[in-house]
């Protein structure tokens, strides 16, 4: 360093006494709470249904920032934001814990099913041909009893968490509004059926649960979509789709029974005109009633329908086998083959046929779907 007089001087060295870092500690972070500041999550009811081995602090999808726990927000607005964030994150964490425990129960189910089938086929003094002939029906009865006893409690608890119940304060009585539509949109098959936010998405946000019921004929099944009572898009609180199979297994007629009414999609515009689009590209076309008489083959050994399957039956299988049992994984994009946020999806489209009704006036809220 040189002064104004041109005299060269050496910079004086300065030393600081810096303590050695503690190897067991980590620097404080807004997104990584210190060990002293971590809080225990509120315990939901029916705690035995949840897995307790998940460390929610290690996954960014479930991590709760340290500032969320401190009741020092600036103003009521910030405090509400903090509580709503805590509400959503706690519910997402417990859905994950519930799903992990359910996956373990599924594995137990598969092991017990295999053991039960072996015992059934090895019954002494019974005709093997007769046992194999009745195997599918008997296995279906056993599965129904097992699912009602072991799986239904998980589904009921998931419904409670998603719709806003199951906790005491400070967790709010507010559920996860877009849980089911997010799960549907993450599936490669179902996302192609969901139209833009102007149509299907807003209505699907009002789904509170999706359920599957067995029929007397074990080859078929029934799906139920439950919607919130304050759904402004249509009056139906439950939409159903039933798949029935008629005839011998070598030549099956598939009946896809949905709504008997005509499906109409309504778009509101500024002003007095309401544009009605019939037979449009919409997820709700799934609820149309159709009969397929080309003669499918039902394989009782695999429990599958063989042939050129119609699209609504493929959608029904995806909902029954993938979405309903593993909805929490689809919701957080943790299931294999999930649709990524930046992925371009080409819909399986039908043509648009539209006409305008001039004498209709829109109500205060946007009516998108109606079932006359």
């Amino acid at each position: 360093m040189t002064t104004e007089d041109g005299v060269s001087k050496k910079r004086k060295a300065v030393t600081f006494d810096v303590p050695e870092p503690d190897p067991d500690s980590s620097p404080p972070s807004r997104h990584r709470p210190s060990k002293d500041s971590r809080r225990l999550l509120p315990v939901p009811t029916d705690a035995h249904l949840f897995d307790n081995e998940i460390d929610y602090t290690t996954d960014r999808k479930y991590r709760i920032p340290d500032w969320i726990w401190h009741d020092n927000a600036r103003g009521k607005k910030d405090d509400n934001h903090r509580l709503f964030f805590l509400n959503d994150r706690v519910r997402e964490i417990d859905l994950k814990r519930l799903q992990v425990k359910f996956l373990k129960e599924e594995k137990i189910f598969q092991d017990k099913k295999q053991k039960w089938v072996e015992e059934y086929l090895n019954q002494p003094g019974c005709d093997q041909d007769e046992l194999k002939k009745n195997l599918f029906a008997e296995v279906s009865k056993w599965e129904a009893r097992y699912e009602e006893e072991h799986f239904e409690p998980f589904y009921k608890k998931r419904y409670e968490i998603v719709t806003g119940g199951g906790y005491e304060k400070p967790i709010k009585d507010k559920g996860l509004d877009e849980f089911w539509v997010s799960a549907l949109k993450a599936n490669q098959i179902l996302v192609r059926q969901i139209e833009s936010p102007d149509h299907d998405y807003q209505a699907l946000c009002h789904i509170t649960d999706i359920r599957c019921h067995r029929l007397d004929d074990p080859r078929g099944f029934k799906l139920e979509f439950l919607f919130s009572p304050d759904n402004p898009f249509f009056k139906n609180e439950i939409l159903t789709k039933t798949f029935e199979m008629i005839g011998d297994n070598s030549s099956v007629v598939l009946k896809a029974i949905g709504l008997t009414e005509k499906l109409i999609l309504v778009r509101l515009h500024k002003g007095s005109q309401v544009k009605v689009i019939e037979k449009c590209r919409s997820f709700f076309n799934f609820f149309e009633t159709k009969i397929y008489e080309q003669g499918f083959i039902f394989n009782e050994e695999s429990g599958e329908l063989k042939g050129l399957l119609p699209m609504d039956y493929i959608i029904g299988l995806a909902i029954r086998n993938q979405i309903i049992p593993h909805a929490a994984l689809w919701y957080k994009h943790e299931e294999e083959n999930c649709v990524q946020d930046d992925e371009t999806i080409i819909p399986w489209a039908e043509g648009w046929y539209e006409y305008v009704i001039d004498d209709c006036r829109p109500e205060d809220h946007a009516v998108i779907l109606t079932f006359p």
Side-chain angles (χ1 to χ4, degrees), residues 222-225 238-242 257-259 286-287:
K222 176 182 178 181
L223 296 174
E224 285 187 346
F225 287 69
I238 301 179
L239 298 181
T240 63
K241 181 77 169 189
T242 305
I257 305 171
L259 298 165
F286 172 69
F287 295 101

Side-chain angles (χ1 to χ4, degrees), residues 215 217 219-222 241-249 251-258 286 288-298 304-317 320:
L215 305 180
D217 185 343
R219 297 177 298 180
F221 59 94
K222 176 182 178 181
K241 181 77 169 189
T242 305
F243 295 96
E244 295 182 355
M245 299 186 191
I246 303 173
D248 186 76
N249 287 338
S251 181
V252 175
V253 174
L254 176 63
K255 294 180 65 176
I257 305 171
F286 172 69
E288 292 181 345
T289 296
K290 298 179 180 178
I291 299 178
Y292 304 95
E293 300 181 351
Q294 55 263 46
F296 302 95
I297 298 175
F298 186 82
E304 296 178 351
L305 193 65
K306 302 295 184 180
L308 186 60
L309 302 180
M311 180 51 62
D312 57 345
Y313 185 69
I314 294 175
I315 295 172
L317 290 178
R320 183 189 70 173

Side-chain angles (χ1 to χ4, degrees), residues 273-300:
Q273 286 189 339
V274 179
K275 184 177 291 187
V276 180
I277 305 172
E278 287 190 283
K279 198 58 178 178
C280 64
R281 189 170 63 223
S282 171
F283 175 83
F284 290 90
N285 287 332
F286 172 69
F287 295 101
E288 292 181 345
T289 296
K290 298 179 180 178
I291 299 178
Y292 304 95
E293 300 181 351
Q294 55 263 46
F296 302 95
I297 298 175
F298 186 82
N299 188 332
E300 287 195 347

Side-chain angles (χ1 to χ4, degrees), residues 154-181:
F154 288 95
Y155 295 152
K156 291 179 180 178
K157 177 53 60 177
R158 181 179 64 190
Y159 171 78
E160 186 178 10
I161 294 175
V162 169
T163 54
Y167 298 90
E168 298 179 356
K169 292 183 178 180
I171 305 303
K172 291 182 172 291
D173 295 332
K174 176 184 177 300
L176 302 174
D177 296 335
E178 299 182 5
F179 174 80
W180 284 104
V181 69

Side-chain angles (χ1 to χ4, degrees), residues 24 36 68 75 115 133 158:
D24 296 329
D36 296 336
I68 291 294
K115 183 178 179 181
K133 180 181 178 180
R158 181 179 64 190

Side-chain angles (χ1 to χ4, degrees), residues 4-24:
E4 295 180 355
D5 300 335
V7 179
S8 178
K9 293 183 179 181
K10 292 184 178 180
R11 186 184 299 274
K12 186 178 179 181
V14 180
T15 61
F16 297 92
D17 293 330
V18 180
E20 292 292 331
D22 183 0
D24 296 329

Side-chain angles (χ1 to χ4, degrees), residues 18-152:
V18 180
E20 292 292 331
D22 183 0
D24 296 329
S25 65
S26 57
S29 168
R30 172 183 175 88
H31 299 289
R32 183 177 60 252
S34 62
K35 294 181 180 179
D36 296 336
S37 63
R38 290 179 185 175
R39 305 296 192 272
L40 293 176
L41 294 177
V43 179
T45 55
D46 301 316
H48 66 282
L49 295 174
F50 298 85
D51 185 84
N52 296 318
E53 299 178 2
I54 297 177
D55 182 8
Y56 65 91
T57 63
T58 60
D59 192 332
R60 293 185 61 184
K61 291 182 180 179
Y62 300 99
R63 187 179 298 155
I64 299 179
D66 189 29
W67 62 273
I68 291 294
W69 297 108
H70 297 298
D71 191 10
N72 59 355
R74 299 177 181 177
K76 185 176 180 180
K77 182 177 180 180
D78 289 344
D79 190 54
N80 284 337
H81 170 72
R82 179 179 65 85
L83 292 178
F84 277 118
F85 182 95
L86 181 62
N87 172 78
D88 291 352
R89 189 53 55 88
V90 166
R91 292 183 185 277
E92 290 173 353
I93 290 172
D94 282 338
L95 283 173
K96 173 71 172 182
R97 296 171 57 222
L98 187 73
Q99 186 70 71
V100 171
K101 190 66 174 288
F102 180 84
L103 292 174
K104 294 179 180 179
E105 188 63 44
E106 270 190 325
K107 187 176 185 306
I108 296 174
F109 164 75
Q110 294 295 338
D111 294 339
K112 289 186 176 180
K113 177 182 175 180
Q114 182 177 358
K115 183 178 179 181
W116 185 90
V117 170
E118 293 174 356
E119 293 177 352
Y120 174 81
L121 294 176
N122 293 327
Q123 296 182 64
C126 296
D127 184 6
Q128 286 294 312
D129 293 336
E130 190 68 21
L131 289 175
K132 291 180 180 179
K133 180 181 178 180
N134 299 325
L135 178 60
F136 177 73
E138 295 299 325
V139 168
S140 298
K141 293 178 182 177
W142 181 87
E143 288 177 341
R145 293 192 299 268
Y146 191 95
E147 290 173 359
E148 182 177 2
E149 181 179 354
H150 297 275
F151 290 174
E152 282 301 320

